[in-house]
């Protein structure tokens, strides 16, 4: 490469990095395309919320009308030490959402991950009493929900309480409080904000056994006279699952039968092979060593794989559109392929392509297949 060619190349590369924000303005907006059907949301990482990823917040404001914090509203982020709250990043996201008239979902009030050990321990490091744990839960929920009362209108109250077989997950919450902890969390959240939309959130809810477990749990909450409004079906999918889209449709219908709206709260469709058939879903306890055999697309997404992914996204959206009366919101778990937890799970260090926008913030084949369902095509 001579000097002139090289500097032209560098200039082109620099433009390519800054260009998306400009070129992307011509892209149809998901929130407009699906305006009659459901809200379209996205999860934001801390760097993105703080404006440290060029082009991202502009894209988000144009494309989406709902946001969820990928991490910064989790217990460990908001209250790492008892009574010592750190609101900075969460406040920044809520302010951004207010500026752009986006709905915020608070994620999440109660989970077994990202919860500091102190929550479950007394001063001597022994398991805390039932009364004390309930008091801590109450303090946390009132502080968090109370702070954002007028600005966060929906909450993932309880996250991932049920195993794939429908039984209750064995966690400190369950061990100390018993199954009623789910009802208690909803009761406290409803006290803290009686008008917020309150969701139960979990992954792989297309599995019939897991769906039935959640139906049973939601009936218990309802039988206690406690408010629950909806179910969040996370939607961490792959090219091979859900195997049968009818299972997803059946879950939405089952929840609707209880008077509960569904939201897809964490949608992504991984293209990488799953190292074992059991490792779909989102169990963060799974952590496998990097094996390049399972990392085939480090140089880019091959067109035939992009087409398979586009077809999967299309199938998912066909189900969601058919059930649009029972689906409130569809939220993607990340803005673009470069910032996705799927690059790190179930095997750290892989290059996945699970979202609708690529690493340059450009719409992918999957984007066009989804908007194509509404008759929208790329401009000539
Ligand atoms: O995407 C999130 C990742 O950045 C975090 O390290 C991880 C642990 O807190 O949580 C990820 O998000 C999870 C979400 O909160 C709940 N459902 C499964 C998601 C993917 O693991």
């Amino acid at each position: 490469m001579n000097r002139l060619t090289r500097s032209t190349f560098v200039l082109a590369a620099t433009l390519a990095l800054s260009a998306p924000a400009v070129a992307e303005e011509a892209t149809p907006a998901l929130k407009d395309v699906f305006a009659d059907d459901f809200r379209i949301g996205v999860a934001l990482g801390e760097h993105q919320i703080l404006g440290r990823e060029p082009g991202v917040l502009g894209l988000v404001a144009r494309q989406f009308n709902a946001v969820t914090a990928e991490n910064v509203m989790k217990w460990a982020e908001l209250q790492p030490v008892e009574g010592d709250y750190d609101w900075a990043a969460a406040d920044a996201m809520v302010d951004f959402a207010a500026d752009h008239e986006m709905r915020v979902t608070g994620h999440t009030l109660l989970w077994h991950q990202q919860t500091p050990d102190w929550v479950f321990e007394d001063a001597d490091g022994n398991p805390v009493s039932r009364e004390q744990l309930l008091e801590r839960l109450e303090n946390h929920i009132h502080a968090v929900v109370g702070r954002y009362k007028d600005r966060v209108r929906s909450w993932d109250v309880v996250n991932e309480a049920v195993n794939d077989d429908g039984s209750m997950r064995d966690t400190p919450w369950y061990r100390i409080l018993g199954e009623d902890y789910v009802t208690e969390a909803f009761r406290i959240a409803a006290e803290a904000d009686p008008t917020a939309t309150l969701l139960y959130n979990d992954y792989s809810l297309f599995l019939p056994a897991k769906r039935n477990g959640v139906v049973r749990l939601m009936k218990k909450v309802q039988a206690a006279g406690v408010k629950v409004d909806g179910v969040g079906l996370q939607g961490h999918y792959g090219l091979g699952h859900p195997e049968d889209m009818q299972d997803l449709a059946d879950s939405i219908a089952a929840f609707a039968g209880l008077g509960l709206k569904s939201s897809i709260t964490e949608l992504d469709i991984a293209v990488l092979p799953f190292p074992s058939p059991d490792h779909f879903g989102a169990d963060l306890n799974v952590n496998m060593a990097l094996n390049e055999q399972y990392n085939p697309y480090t140089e880019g997404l091959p067109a035939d794989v992009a087409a398979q992914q586009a077809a999967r996204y299309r199938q998912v959206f066909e189900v969601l559109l058919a059930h649009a009366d029972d689906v409130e919101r569809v939220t993607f778990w990340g803005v673009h392929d470069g910032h996705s937890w799927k690059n790190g799970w179930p095997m750290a260090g892989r290059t996945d392509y699970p979202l609708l926008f690529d690493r340059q913030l450009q719409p992918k084949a999957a984007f066009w297949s989804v908007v194509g369902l509404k008759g929208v095509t790329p401009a000539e």
Side-chain angles (χ1 to χ4, degrees):
M1 215 188 272
N2 65 33
R3 263 184 63 191
L4 188 61
T5 324
R6 188 196 306 275
S7 56
T8 311
F9 176 79
V10 170
L11 178 65
T14 312
L15 283 174
L17 273 183
S18 52
V22 180
E24 186 273 328
E25 276 162 18
T27 307
L30 294 165
K31 66 177 182 187
D32 300 333
V33 173
F34 294 101
D36 294 337
D37 306 300
F38 25 68
R39 280 182 186 268
I40 301 283
V42 69
L44 296 180
E46 182 165 8
H47 267 60
Q48 297 171 331
I49 292 167
L50 299 177
R52 293 181 187 153
E53 260 197 60
V56 164
L57 288 181
L59 174 79
V60 168
R62 279 191 294 280
Q63 286 288 331
F64 301 95
N65 53 16
V67 282
T68 306
E70 186 182 4
N71 287 303
V72 303
M73 294 177 94
K74 291 173 180 172
W75 192 313
E77 302 288 324
L78 288 181
Q79 197 190 177
V81 174
E82 186 159 24
D84 200 351
Y85 290 87
D86 180 355
W87 305 109
D91 282 359
M93 192 190 73
V94 170
D95 289 347
F96 169 77
D99 288 348
H100 298 281
E101 296 176 12
M102 303 169 117
R103 189 177 172 104
V104 182
T105 298
H107 173 82
T108 171
L109 296 174
L110 186 158
W111 194 20
H112 60 282
Q113 302 274 359
Q114 300 278 94
T115 306
D117 291 343
W118 66 259
V119 175
F120 306 112
E121 290 173 358
D122 67 14
D124 301 324
N126 296 317
V128 80
S129 69
R130 178 184 168 82
E131 290 66 35
Q132 177 131 45
L133 184 54
L134 278 174
E135 192 184 320
R136 285 177 174 164
L137 181 64
E138 200 156 346
N139 289 343
H140 184 79
I141 292 181
H142 276 281
V144 176
V145 174
R147 182 177 184 87
Y148 297 116
K149 204 162 181 175
D150 300 320
R151 292 175 296 160
V152 175
R153 302 306 303 132
S154 84
W155 289 96
D156 291 341
V157 177
V158 174
N159 197 41
E160 301 172 9
V162 175
N163 292 315
D164 286 1
D165 67 3
S167 60
M168 291 297 290
R169 187 189 284 271
D170 183 20
T171 69
W173 294 109
Y174 181 70
R175 286 195 290 275
I176 298 171
L177 298 177
E179 184 168 311
D180 283 351
Y181 82 82
V182 176
T183 304
E184 286 305 304
F186 278 95
R187 184 183 60 72
I188 298 166
E191 269 168 24
D193 187 349
T195 64
T197 298
L198 304 181
L199 306 183
Y200 173 77
N201 194 50
D202 215 327
Y203 60 83
S204 299
L205 287 186
F206 58 88
L207 296 172
K210 193 160 192 174
R211 170 207 308 148
N212 293 338
V214 171
V215 164
R216 190 187 63 81
L217 195 59
M218 294 299 98
K219 280 184 173 166
K220 273 195 87 170
V221 177
Q222 292 176 324
V226 169
K227 175 177 150 75
V228 49
D229 302 295
V231 177
L233 300 89
Q234 291 183 7
H236 295 297
Y237 300 147
L239 296 182
H241 66 273
E243 264 177 69
D244 185 350
M245 286 296 163
Q246 187 59 42
D247 288 337
L248 174 59
D250 289 350
S251 291
I252 294 170
F255 301 137
L258 301 179
L260 301 174
K261 294 279 186 200
S262 286
S263 291
I264 306 299
T265 50
E266 306 183 11
L267 184 57
D268 47 30
I269 300 184
V271 302
L272 292 181
F274 275 75
S276 111
D278 297 335
H279 291 150
F280 63 84
D283 187 348
L284 288 170
N285 293 320
V286 176
N287 184 5
M288 312 176 86
L290 178 61
N291 175 342
E292 288 302 339
Q293 180 193 342
Y294 296 109
N295 190 24
Y297 311 131
T298 53
E299 300 300 321
L301 180 61
D304 60 326
V305 182
Q308 280 180 56
Q309 182 189 43
R312 291 296 289 172
Y313 261 113
R314 194 180 176 96
Q315 289 172 346
V316 171
F317 269 75
E318 276 168 357
V319 171
L320 301 179
L321 288 170
H323 292 265
D325 286 351
D326 295 319
V327 176
E328 280 191 327
R329 167 173 57 92
V330 178
T331 289
F332 292 86
W333 205 242
V335 179
H336 64 92
D337 288 340
H339 180 105
S340 164
W341 76 293
K342 299 297 320 202
N343 294 306
W345 185 93
M347 196 176 261
R350 299 199 297 173
T351 306
D352 207 337
Y353 302 81
L355 298 163
L356 297 191
F357 294 93
D358 69 17
R359 286 165 167 78
Q360 281 71 47
L361 306 185
Q362 298 300 318
K364 296 160 57 185
F367 176 96
W368 295 111
S369 83
V370 161
V371 299
L373 286 168
K374 302 291 288 187
V376 176
T377 52
E380 289 305 314

